[in-house]
C-alpha cells in the first residue's frame, strides 16, 4: 500500500450495462491545468468508454465468432472432399 498519493478519477457508470458495471479513468495530474473543464473531461471519458464498447462488441465482431462445432463440421467436410478428389484422381473407386 502506498501512502500519501492522491489521484483524481472519473467513474462512468454503466457505459454498456450488458458488459460493464462502471468504467474508471485515472486523470493526469495536469488534466485541469490545460484549460479543460470538468464537463469536457467527463464527456471525453464517456466517449472513450462508449467507443471501446462499440469497437470490441459491435455487430461485425459478433458475426465473426463462429462456434466450434461449425469449424469441426467444415473441417470434416473439407477432409472428405480431399479424400474423394484423391481417389477420383487415381482412376476411380477401388472396392
Amino acid at each position: 500500500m502506498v501512502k500519501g498519493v492522491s489521484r483524481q478519477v472519473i467513474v462512468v457508470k454503466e457505459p454498456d450495462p450488458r458488459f460493464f458495471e462502471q468504467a474508471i479513468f485515472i486523470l493526469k495530474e495536469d488534466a485541469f491545468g490545460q484549460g479543460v473543464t470538468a464537463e469536457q473531461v467527463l464527456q471525453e471519458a464517456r466517449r472513450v468508454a462508449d467507443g471501446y464498447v462499440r469497437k470490441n462488441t459491435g455487430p461485425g465482431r459478433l458475426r465473426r465468432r463462429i462456434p466450434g462445432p461449425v469449424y469441426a463440421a467444415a473441417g470434416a467436410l473439407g477432409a472428405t472432399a480431399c479424400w474423394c478428389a484423391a481417389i477420383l484422381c487415381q482412376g476411380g473407386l477401388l472396392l
Side-chain angles (χ1 to χ4, degrees):
M1 180 171 186
V2 179
K3 293 184 180 183
V5 175
S6 171
R7 294 279 193 181
Q8 290 183 330
V9 297
I10 291 180
V11 178
V12 178
K13 300 241 183 210
E14 298 183 13
D16 188 336
R18 295 175 298 162
F19 303 107
F20 301 105
E21 190 174 314
Q22 59 188 357
I24 300 171
F25 294 90
I26 300 173
L27 298 176
K28 290 184 175 183
E29 291 180 20
D30 62 344
F32 292 109
Q34 300 175 359
V36 180
T37 65
E39 184 61 32
Q40 290 172 324
V41 172
L42 184 58
Q43 286 176 354
E44 178 68 9
R46 285 185 180 142
R47 186 188 67 76
V48 169
D50 289 339
Y52 180 83
V53 170
R54 281 193 196 105
K55 178 182 174 186
N56 291 296
T57 60
R61 185 168 174 94
L62 293 177
R63 275 188 229 132
R64 285 184 248 148
R65 290 188 183 161
I66 300 173
V70 174
Y71 275 118
L77 287 173
T80 302
C82 288
W83 276 104
C84 289
I87 290 172
L88 292 174
C89 287
Q90 287 182 355
L93 294 173
L94 300 173
L95 296 176

